[in-house]
Amino acid sequence: MSLREAAVSRTFIQGMPKAELHIHIEGSLEPELMFEIAGRNGVSLRYASVEEARRAYDFSDLQSFLDLYYEGMQVLLNERDFYDLTWAYLQRASAQNVRHAEIFFDPQAHTDRGVPFETVITGIRRALEDGEQQLGISSELIMCFLRHLSAEAAMETLHSSLPFWKWIVAVGLDSSEVGHPPEDFKAVFDEARKHGLLTVAHAGEEGPPEYIWQALDDLKVARIDHGVRCVEDPKLVERLREEQIPLTVCPLSNVKLRVFDSIQDHDLKRMLDLGLCVTVNSDDPAYFGGYIDENFEAAREGLGLSRDDIYRLVKNSFQASFLSAAKKQRLLRELDDYFASRLTGRLR
Ligand code: HPA
Ligand code: ZN
């Protein structure tokens, strides 16, 4: 095997230091843990077994996934459940050498079931602190508003989260996209920015390029989550390229939710070649068949990504993160050392 081929092997991807910027913590709930938590909380599940749950994860679009996603997370009731959920993700991420994670959570999906906001965020936060100390993973939390609910409900959630803003770096927008344009949430995002929170939004996953324009112009987002439909609008591509707005792309998610027919049809490589600031992420790994490495591996294999493509994707993820300039520099140096050592054979 040539050095070039060896440089993009599965082990090369696994050992690469990386950042994950698009992961819904509730979407990392593996069926095994769902059953364990359901058992101790006395919640009944519609699945007879872990295998049956996995077999049900066969989606036709975003909504068909969201229906099971909201159902699955109903087992989460106590602080310990949110801790265990987050800790399990961090252990998986650590095994794949994720050095920094910016994690979404959906408070309304819990508070609407009677679980207090404080229970949710305290459980998640305690695990993140342990992740930093025991696994060396730094992290940030992004609070998402459910766009199928009203802008007023989002504003109430923003205000009720005030005591915890010290633990939240940004707000985001997720759930059913089509029919729920970003512009509807302008006032909430204005309010969040007024208080020093950054903003991101899911846009252009199933929704049209117009939603990406709105996320940029109305919500003043620092990044677009997904954004793959931008390629339909050359003016938008030009804007995203010029301003190097990061796009947190999730290849396996897009195939599972039928945004693309297959991984070979995914526009990731095309977007990179257009000069866009693209990153690779797992979205909802327990439901879509893989964590960040499996996403890199699927894209590498399906799209023939080169070593340089992979380097750019990872470099983009550090640069697009909400880390300080000093921490970005440290991780970028680590990345450069990793690539250089693997090429010269200095290490291993
Ligand atoms: N899109 C929108 N909302 C979501 C997703 C997604 O991929 N995952 C969890 N909530
Ligand atoms: Zn998402």
Side-chain angles (χ1 to χ4, degrees):
M1 196 190 292
S2 75
L3 194 57
R4 188 180 173 83
E5 282 165 321
V8 285
S9 69
R10 192 174 285 263
T11 38
F12 182 86
I13 287 174
Q14 187 265 324
M16 222 169 35
K18 51 185 90 75
E20 175 145 65
L21 306 178
H22 185 157
I23 155 81
H24 301 262
I25 201 64
E26 298 91 343
S28 72
L29 179 58
E30 294 286 346
E32 288 81 0
L33 186 58
M34 188 192 294
F35 269 81
E36 186 184 322
I37 297 176
R40 74 185 183 215
N41 286 347
V43 175
S44 61
L45 292 170
R46 72 149 116 166
Y47 314 112
S49 66
V50 161
E51 293 70 36
E52 192 182 315
R54 286 224 163 81
R55 273 197 301 276
Y57 297 171
D58 180 24
F59 309 113
S60 52
D61 56 13
L62 174 59
Q63 192 59 51
S64 65
F65 154 69
L66 289 170
D67 293 344
L68 296 199
Y69 169 77
Y70 293 124
E71 188 178 325
M73 68 176 79
Q74 289 180 19
V75 301
L76 305 168
L77 297 177
N78 305 303
E79 187 183 312
R80 177 184 167 200
D81 307 335
F82 290 92
Y83 178 94
D84 289 353
L85 170 72
T86 308
W87 184 244
Y89 165 72
L90 290 169
Q91 285 181 304
R92 296 255 197 174
S94 173
Q96 300 192 341
N97 212 18
V98 171
R99 304 300 313 281
H100 178 70
E102 300 191 353
I103 299 175
F104 296 129
F105 72 116
D106 282 332
Q108 290 163 292
H110 312 299
T111 54
D112 283 5
R113 300 182 288 116
V115 180
F117 187 97
E118 183 176 6
T119 300
V120 177
I121 196 165
T122 307
I124 295 173
R125 171 73 190 185
R126 276 186 38 235
L128 296 182
E129 285 171 1
D130 286 352
E132 179 113 42
Q133 279 161 22
Q134 296 173 36
L135 305 171
I137 300 188
S138 60
S139 53
E140 295 286 359
L141 261 185
I142 302 175
M143 176 172 74
C144 281
F145 302 117
L146 299 182
R147 68 202 308 162
H148 70 272
L149 302 178
S150 69
E152 292 72 32
M155 189 69 95
E156 263 175 46
T157 299
L158 177 63
H159 286 141
S160 68
S161 69
L162 188 150
F164 304 99
W165 285 354
K166 59 183 182 294
W167 290 344
I168 298 171
V169 73
V171 296
L173 190 64
D174 65 1
S175 195
S176 323
E177 187 181 5
V178 174
H180 304 286
E183 66 182 4
D184 291 356
F185 296 85
K186 184 177 185 315
V188 191
F189 275 60
D190 281 346
E191 178 80 358
R193 279 187 292 101
K194 200 173 88 189
H195 294 287
L197 294 167
L198 297 167
T199 61
V200 298
H202 283 54
E205 178 186 16
E206 284 188 345
E210 174 59 22
Y211 285 16
I212 302 176
W213 285 108
Q214 288 179 19
L216 295 171
D217 294 332
D218 295 334
L219 307 187
K220 313 255 189 277
V221 296
R223 302 193 292 250
I224 297 285
D225 297 312
H226 293 295
V228 290
R229 287 195 59 192
C230 71
V231 297
E232 297 168 26
D233 180 343
K235 277 210 171 73
L236 177 58
V237 168
E238 192 47 29
R239 165 101 182 261
L240 294 168
R241 193 190 62 75
E242 282 231 319
E243 296 183 18
Q244 284 294 290
I245 308 282
L247 305 170
T248 63
V249 174
C250 308
L252 288 175
S253 166
N254 292 153
V255 174
K256 280 291 259 182
L257 303 189
R258 312 219 189 149
V259 173
F260 296 96
D261 291 338
S262 71
I263 193 72
Q264 287 79 15
D265 295 313
H266 200 289
D267 278 336
L268 177 75
K269 168 79 175 149
R270 185 174 163 207
M271 293 165 77
L272 259 183
D273 292 346
L274 284 166
L276 295 170
C277 181
V278 188
T279 67
V280 166
N281 308 272
S282 70
D283 208 4
D284 301 282
Y287 292 89
F288 299 151
Y291 288 75
I292 193 166
D293 278 4
E294 286 77 22
N295 275 272
F296 269 108
E297 184 56 24
R300 182 193 71 79
E301 212 177 275
L303 301 170
L305 297 186
S306 68
R307 178 189 157 280
D308 286 350
D309 291 333
I310 291 179
Y311 174 78
R312 273 186 55 207
L313 289 165
V314 184
K315 185 175 182 183
N316 286 345
S317 72
F318 288 130
Q319 285 174 332
S321 73
F322 295 142
L323 284 166
S324 68
K327 281 190 194 153
K328 280 185 194 179
Q329 278 315 311
R330 210 170 60 220
L331 286 166
L332 287 168
R333 253 197 316 275
E334 209 181 298
L335 177 67
D336 283 351
D337 287 349
Y338 183 80
F339 272 75
S341 69
R342 286 302 180 108
L343 279 183
T344 61
R346 257 192 296 120
L347 298 177
R348 293 234 247 172

